[in-house]
Amino acid sequence: MLKRLVERIQQKDQRAMSELYQQYVGRLSSVCYRYVPDEDDAKDVLQNSFVKIFTALQNFEYRDEPSFEGYLTKTVANEALTFLRARKKLMFTDLQEDSVSQETDDEPEIEHITADDLHRLIRELPDGYRTVVNLYVFEGYSHRKIAELLGIKEATSATQLYHAKQLLARRIKEKMDEER
């Protein structure tokens, strides 16, 4: 069914475009908000993503649903990164690899935090931290790939992830303490 929908879009069927949009707007909005927490900016990025998706689908070879959904997700993530770079919102601390402490604090008890609260806390991270967390945790990229995508050093990517985890752990603990 999805393959047929893509074929209809390739034939410039406006209804098919609307169907695809309705089917994926929620999921792709979530991807977009992970990178761009400002609602107006995220809507712009999502709109630009769909324009790119519909344009690129003219030459797209459909294989299966998981690869198609991966393509959609990657397109939105890349568009969000382009937006952040253009707005110069990506700030990274370029620390040496050995400056990252290997000591780990007690892990917060995340069983008692909702997924919505966790996503909100991630959205509140500084842009550089949030971007690396999203690429590493949600997209599954290596530090090498993240470094290539963002034009930073691998050590910078690892440092950003480390500091993001520390900040998230601290904020989770604070939230848990507030609720007690």
Side-chain angles (χ1 to χ4, degrees):
M1 183 167 144
L2 189 55
K3 182 178 181 177
R4 178 65 186 129
L5 186 63
V6 170
E7 290 169 352
R8 289 176 44 216
I9 291 169
Q10 290 171 332
Q11 296 166 357
K12 303 193 189 294
D13 181 335
Q14 296 294 317
R15 269 198 201 134
M17 290 179 191
S18 179
E19 286 176 38
L20 183 81
Y21 179 86
Q22 292 303 319
Q23 187 172 345
Y24 286 99
V25 69
R27 187 177 312 165
L28 297 179
S29 291
S30 295
V31 172
C32 195
Y33 282 115
R34 284 197 325 245
Y35 292 92
V36 183
D38 179 79
E39 187 174 348
D40 291 333
D41 290 341
K43 286 179 181 179
D44 289 345
V45 169
L46 188 63
Q47 181 67 26
N48 290 340
S49 298
F50 271 105
V51 168
K52 286 190 176 190
I53 288 166
F54 290 135
T55 301
L57 281 180
Q58 297 307 312
N59 300 313
F60 186 80
E61 186 178 324
Y62 182 88
R63 282 180 272 174
D64 57 26
E65 189 170 338
S67 64
F68 180 70
E69 290 177 353
Y71 160 75
L72 296 176
T73 300
K74 186 174 181 177
T75 300
V76 172
N78 286 339
E79 189 64 23
L81 293 175
T82 299
F83 169 82
L84 291 171
R85 278 193 296 266
R87 297 287 195 286
K88 303 208 184 310
K89 289 190 174 240
L90 290 176
M91 303 288 287
F92 299 101
T93 306
D94 196 15
L95 301 174
Q96 296 301 316
E97 203 168 352
D98 58 17
S99 70
V100 177
S101 168
Q102 296 303 316
E103 295 178 24
T104 57
D105 296 331
D106 293 334
E107 296 278 324
E109 296 179 24
I110 60 172
E111 307 86 44
H112 303 293
I113 190 166
T114 66
D116 287 341
D117 283 339
L118 184 57
H119 286 292
R120 181 184 52 78
L121 291 171
I122 292 171
R123 278 195 310 271
E124 292 172 356
L125 289 171
D127 293 323
Y129 290 1
R130 185 182 60 252
T131 301
V132 172
V133 166
N134 284 315
L135 291 170
Y136 188 85
V137 175
F138 295 105
E139 308 301 335
Y141 289 146
S142 67
H143 288 299
R144 176 173 288 163
K145 180 67 175 172
I146 293 169
E148 289 173 17
L149 283 170
L150 301 178
I152 60 176
K153 297 175 186 173
E154 281 183 61
T156 302
S157 176
T159 300
Q160 296 295 299
L161 181 63
Y162 173 81
H163 289 297
K165 285 179 176 180
Q166 296 300 309
L167 183 56
L168 272 175
R170 190 167 59 249
R171 289 183 177 171
I172 289 169
K173 285 179 184 176
E174 289 169 2
K175 178 163 181 39
M176 302 316 312
D177 289 344
E178 286 174 10
E179 292 178 0
R180 288 183 193 149

